Amino acid sequence: MSATIQTKLDQALSGKAFEKRIRRRNLKDSISKYGISVGGMSVILAVLLIMFFLLYVVLPLFVPATIEKTAQYSIPGSQQERTLYYGIDEYQTTAIRFTDSGDLVGFDVKDGTINFKERLPLNGAEITTYKVVSELDRLLVFGLSNGSVLFAKYDYDVSYPNNVRKISPKVVYPFGQEPIALADGKITNLAVKAFESELRLAYQVEGSKTITLKSFTKIESMLTDSVVLEEDGSGHFDSNISLKWLMIDTSGRNLYTISQAGVADYYDIRNVESPELIQHVNLMPQGETPTVIRFLLGDYSLMIGSDKGNVYQWFPVRDESNDFALKPIRKFHVGDSAVESIGIELARKGFATSDASGRFNLFHSTSERHLASEEVSSVGANLVTIAPRANGAIVETNDGLLTHFTIENEHPDVSVSSLWGKVWYEGYEEPTYTWQSSSASSDFEPKFSLMPLTFGTIKAALYSMLFAVPIAILAAIYTAFFMDKATRQWVKPSVEMIEALPTVILGFLAGLWLAPYMEANLPGFFAILIVLPLGIILFGYAWSRLPESIRLFIPVGKRAVLMIPVIVFLGWFSLQLSGPIENAMFDGNMRHWLTASAGIDFDQRNAMVIGFAMGFALIPTIFSVTEDAIYNVPSYLVNGSLALGASGWQTLVGVVLPTASPGIFSAIMLGFGRGVGETMIVLMASGNTPLMEVNIFEGMRTLSANLAVEMAEAEVSSSHYRVLFLAGLVLFIFTFIFNTLAEVVRQRMRRKYGSL
């Protein structure tokens, strides 16, 4: 180097201008460094905040209930009289007590101050038995010693004197104050079920084994609001057991007669004139006897408390012959003392118990959760009633005290077992995984199983990957390794542009065009799987037999273009074969043959439609990443392999694919991640049926589609609302685990093949 050049170089690398450039470059480096760091940390923080928000919404689902004693006082009214029933208003301000002498005592829940007194019009008779006809309608019926029955309905008048809410209890008699005569003797057992226009009644008279059934029609007066009962059918049968409990379920067709020992006879009384014995069964294990029996909300499940501190749930189940039989469903262990009383919630499948040891316990049947427990009295508790909103309860003790509790119990219907395990729901033939979040019925049993949604998510992703992965990866291999540069520059952007298509358009086309078209041409779509590969092989063989001058006329890297019309023709030809194949092999209707002969259920919007539609949406993602990974394999590796005598295919298999395998694996996992999170296509083309069936001809519901369908209608902070957030959290964790696993595998593959 000459002295002149050295001098100029020294001047360029020193002085104020040089130092200024260095400072400016260092500043840019620092800004870039910290900017990238802050951006990366911001992304991580945003993801963590999303995670924490989801956890914040979801965690209350699993918080146990809390019970707080707010008041305790002597039982309002005479303590010498036995309490039959307590009613409490929804604000937990006023309650009413029914006694065995017919006295009605209204009182303030906070301190027991009596504010209402009345007496049932018994006309000199005595109450010998009673039944709650409907908790929701607040309707009770009393069996009397003179063989008649009296219906009474309690209610509350709400007024606002001086802008202060005042609730006053009242009692009305929907069928008149005159008791309805049924028999000549004392009624000892009674069961009633009331419907909109009909009433069914069963009773037993003292000293008789005969159970009498009666059906009444409700007739409303044209001049007044009064309703009278007109008998339109009756029947009877002799009971073979020493009857203790008599119960009619919500349908009015099932009658249960139960003895003190727990032996039950189950009758079909759809026709009251000819009742039919369906089943004779012992409801209790050996060594246990029932102490109290109540219907759960909806009057379908029998809740049976025992002297050993257990509560058993039974309900009728339909078998394969379409016959019903009572089945034991669940067992709840309350304690070591006898269960004295069972109170039911009026809006959920929850119940409370009081026992001989004086404990108050709170349970939920569907979730099988023991929610809370509280000591009431050391001498035992004999009666419990839950407030209409399930936010409070009153418990009567054996030492003449009444205790009021407030309850915080927002989400008893959700548990780990109800979310991820099989649950035996009322009316179902067996335990199932079921998602059914709402119903028009007030006694509905929520079904919040996430299993069918998770299964549907994986099913949709897998079927779409089966369609997308082979096409995308093989196309990427050919485009990056065999296709000439000019053609590649046209093909690659064209495929990547498909990714810009809105998925709502793809879902719309799949649901409204592809699904019915596929159903009408089902054999043709299956013929594609055979005709297309065979046709391509035959075309390749025919091409190889052409004169060399013709074959060399088209460069090797452009010959793939020749396959476009061939594939289009083969697809069209396969669909044209649909009719002949269907007539020859499936009696002219493949869908009917699948259902009737093969026993395979078929839905028009099914997993096959999702595989085609969502697979088409995943192809650009997988293709683009895979093509870049293969194309960016260093050329010296490829040239070295070819120079050593390896063929193009040998170079591809032995050098290119191992080197590009981390990128290919990343492409597959990116496609799978998008398939798991896809919403609009599965929302519009899957049928949205939360089933757990691998059948390709049946639909599914995914976690993301379920969120899109139900979130807008979910009540804020309800169990349904929080379970939907839990579904979002599951989807979040699901993708996080798979992406982490993919990154671990990719790094291992990079270390393994990085030395090539």
Side-chain angles (χ1 to χ4, degrees), residues 34-108:
Y34 290 110
I36 293 172
S37 299
V38 170
M41 294 298 295
S42 300
V43 171
I44 295 174
L45 180 62
V47 172
L48 289 175
L49 287 175
I50 293 173
M51 173 74 79
F52 285 132
F53 176 72
L54 292 174
L55 287 172
Y56 170 77
V57 178
V58 167
L59 283 178
L61 287 173
F62 306 101
V63 173
T66 58
I67 301 174
E68 181 181 355
K69 182 189 294 187
T70 57
Q72 189 174 54
Y73 41 81
S74 297
I75 297 174
S78 174
Q79 296 188 16
Q80 279 68 43
E81 299 176 3
R82 183 171 66 91
T83 304
L84 299 179
Y85 183 80
Y86 284 104
I88 182 171
D89 76 279
E90 61 180 334
Y91 300 105
Q92 300 186 70
T93 303
T94 301
I96 185 170
R97 178 190 178 207
F98 292 79
T99 71
D100 59 353
S101 67
D103 286 339
L104 312 178
V105 182
F107 59 93
D108 193 308

Side-chain angles (χ1 to χ4, degrees), residues 360-427:
F360 168 68
N361 290 275
L362 203 59
F363 295 88
H364 193 277
S365 64
T366 307
S367 62
E368 301 185 58
R369 289 179 66 182
H370 181 197
L371 298 158
S373 180
E374 185 72 19
E375 182 74 31
V376 183
S377 171
S378 59
V379 297
N382 57 31
L383 195 58
V384 56
T385 299
I386 302 179
R389 296 182 180 178
N391 57 352
I394 52 178
V395 182
E396 183 181 295
T397 63
N398 292 336
D399 54 356
L401 297 177
L402 195 64
T403 305
H404 176 243
F405 294 101
T406 56
I407 300 172
E408 186 75 22
N409 184 26
E410 294 297 326
H411 310 290
D413 43 1
V414 177
S415 65
V416 174
S417 61
S418 67
L419 290 170
W420 300 106
K422 286 187 176 181
V423 179
W424 203 333
Y425 300 103
E426 290 183 347

Side-chain angles (χ1 to χ4, degrees), residues 181-193:
L182 295 178
D184 296 329
K186 181 190 298 184
I187 295 178
T188 55
N189 281 293
L190 182 64
V192 180
K193 183 55 58 181

Side-chain angles (χ1 to χ4, degrees), residues 429-443:
E429 299 173 7
E430 60 184 0
T432 60
Y433 298 110
T434 304
W435 173 274
Q436 186 183 353
S437 57
S438 60
S439 170
S441 173
S442 60
D443 56 5

Side-chain angles (χ1 to χ4, degrees), residues 263-290:
V263 177
D265 285 336
Y266 171 19
Y267 290 89
D268 183 345
I269 59 169
R270 281 176 290 185
N271 183 357
V272 296
E273 297 179 355
S274 57
E276 177 185 355
L277 178 63
I278 296 176
Q279 184 185 13
H280 179 79
V281 61
N282 191 347
L283 302 177
M284 304 301 294
Q286 187 174 4
E288 290 189 59
T289 57

